[in-house]
Amino acid sequence: MTVMPSAESLKQSLQEQGVKYALAGYVDLHGIIKGKFVPLSHLGRMLKGSELFTGAALDGVPQDISDNEVAAMPDTSHPAVCPWNPELAWFPSDLYLDGAPFEACSRNILKRQVAAAAEMGFTFNLGIETEFFLFRDGEEGSFEPISTRDTLAKPCYDPRTLGDNMHIVGELVEAMNNLGWDVYSFDHEDANGQFETDFTYTDALNMADRLVFFRLMANEIARKHGAFASFMPKPSATRTGSGAHYNMSLADRETGRNLFDPAHAEDPYGCGVTQMAYHFIAGIMKHARAISAVIAPTVNSYKRLVRKGSMSGSTWAPVFVCYGNNNRTNMLRIPSQGARVECRAADIACNPYLGAAMILAAGLEGIREALDPGQPHRENMYNYTDAQVRDMGIEMLPQTLGEAIEAFAQDPLSRQVFGQAMFDSYVQYKREEWNSYHTHVSDWELKRYLKFF
């Protein structure tokens, strides 16, 4: 059992590290950290929920302006001293309302599913690959990759372009390691100015905390060097987009043993995971179209989930609801090392608390109901036509945010996981986002149609 430090001992430890302020940081609908800075002399009050917030002022914190404020309740198990500002310490926080957990808090939504897994004897372990872009501002609102050498047709894994940007990427990796995240590799990705960091998995709640903090940290470090980090899923139509692949497994809560590892159980389809993992996969596939609205949450997300649209000949992103072994054209991939399941549909703009909650709930349903995902696909799924895929009984992932949010709205799992208030808020917000985009007159339309007829 974890023993939480007292407020006084925590305050003393932070003071010794030079910290002056604390941030009780919860997230909005988008997974963006919000909160107030509190002088360390008031840390004890903050840890008891002294900092109040009007939910109506934020996206996806469903409250009326007449409602009581929500309070941020910090988790003291893993605060982080901010690498870009060592005078500030961040505490991942839950929202409370009237002394009880606020149902519509993103972190509380994930915690409910983590508790459901615990009741079944499981710990949900999660690793998220962080892909992102580094740009600098140009003239009149334009932007460009920060490296002048980022002009290669296929810059993936190029050490020169990575080396050009080590003043930012290296500082970011060092910060991650100082936080104890254990980065084991990083590289320049398939698009100009695109990078990926890979670090050791942990339990899902901790990993979601790390991802939202990573986005804040990457941007603050980039700003020091006259750049900005972009977590837009698809900034260029001719380059790959940024995923946030979820690498997932269930562990036995008592022993910590990986229950997806076929060294301990039967592997009926020969992909490198156990029967339990196949049930988990089947549950995700059953609810994949609804899940898509949460793990690929923007209009721009669906410009990544296409077959073509990259100089390298492929987007490397899934299009169909299918699974297989080490095959990157499936939505759900079992890497060659096995013992885990990777969801490739998730992108870097997702709210990881909500995405992990939906996927975990679907996977647990698959286990409870002993669902069967069918035969794996080891072939290149991009080579099939849409008609051929339909004849095989394989669903397509949604092709637009509008399509995805309607699938989310129609799936009972969505309301069950989110709770009524957050479900209503999410559906309303995303429908309005889609309608705003759908009715916008773009430059493409003006160039094509203004003098066309």
Side-chain angles (χ1 to χ4, degrees), residues 23 27 31 33 79-84 88-92 172 175 179 181 207-220 231 352-353:
L23 167 63
V27 302
I33 294 175
V81 176
C82 298
W84 67 92
L88 177 66
W90 166 75
F91 290 78
L172 177 59
L179 290 167
W181 295 8
M207 181 54 65
D209 290 339
R210 290 179 177 184
L211 182 65
V212 298
F213 188 74
F214 174 88
R215 289 191 295 220
L216 175 63
M217 178 168 61
N219 245 320
E220 292 304 307
F231 302 97
Y353 301 105

Side-chain angles (χ1 to χ4, degrees), residues 25-46:
Y26 59 95
V27 302
D28 63 8
L29 175 147
H30 313 292
I32 297 173
I33 294 175
K34 303 292 183 179
K36 300 176 183 178
F37 288 16
V38 173
L40 211 57
S41 58
H42 291 277
L43 179 66
R45 294 178 65 250
M46 188 191 86

Side-chain angles (χ1 to χ4, degrees), residues 160-387:
R160 297 167 298 174
T161 46
L162 178 58
D164 288 347
N165 296 288
M166 280 296 289
H167 57 298
I168 300 178
V169 181
E171 184 175 339
L172 177 59
V173 168
E174 183 178 357
M176 295 165 73
N177 281 331
N178 288 340
L179 290 167
W181 295 8
D182 189 20
V183 177
Y184 55 83
S185 70
F186 57 101
D187 63 88
H188 191 282
E189 279 291 294
D190 200 45
N192 291 331
Q194 185 185 32
F195 302 88
E196 177 181 322
T197 65
D198 297 313
F199 51 102
T200 302
Y201 71 88
T202 183
D203 65 276
L205 187 66
N206 197 9
M207 181 54 65
D209 290 339
R210 290 179 177 184
L211 182 65
V212 298
F213 188 74
F214 174 88
R215 289 191 295 220
L216 175 63
M217 178 168 61
N219 245 320
E220 292 304 307
I221 289 175
R223 285 183 70 251
K224 291 171 52 180
H225 300 279
F228 66 92
S230 176
F231 302 97
M232 182 179 182
K234 183 82 168 177
S236 170
T238 60
R239 295 290 184 179
T240 53
S242 291
H245 302 152
Y246 286 20
N247 289 271
M248 307 170 288
S249 63
L250 294 176
D252 183 286
R253 279 182 60 79
E254 292 186 2
T255 66
R257 179 167 55 86
N258 182 355
L259 298 174
F260 285 6
D261 188 342
H264 308 293
E266 182 185 359
D267 178 0
Y269 288 121
C271 289
V273 289
T274 61
Q275 179 69 76
M276 179 183 288
Y278 292 111
H279 294 326
F280 189 86
I281 287 169
I284 295 172
M285 291 172 63
K286 177 181 176 181
H287 298 283
R289 289 173 58 80
I291 291 170
S292 183
V294 184
I295 62 174
T298 72
V299 167
N300 183 253
S301 297
Y302 295 87
K303 298 182 179 182
R304 170 180 168 265
L305 298 178
V306 295
R307 305 184 206 212
K308 300 293 181 181
S310 165
M311 292 290 287
S312 65
S314 170
T315 62
W316 303 91
V319 182
F320 308 112
V321 180
C322 53
Y323 86 100
N325 60 337
N326 198 38
N327 177 358
R328 287 172 170 81
T329 64
N330 288 303
M331 174 191 178
L332 297 167
R333 166 183 172 251
I334 299 167
S336 56
Q337 301 92 337
R340 71 179 190 270
V341 176
E342 177 187 81
C343 177
R344 298 181 58 77
D347 70 45
I348 199 64
C350 74
N351 178 329
Y353 301 105
L354 300 181
M358 281 292 288
I359 281 187
L360 177 55
L364 293 178
E365 179 182 311
I367 292 171
R368 283 192 297 266
E369 298 181 7
L371 300 180
D372 184 358
Q375 291 291 329
H377 289 274
R378 305 174 191 272
E379 69 274 34
N380 185 344
M381 298 300 293
Y382 295 155
N383 291 335
Y384 290 118
T385 66
D386 292 352

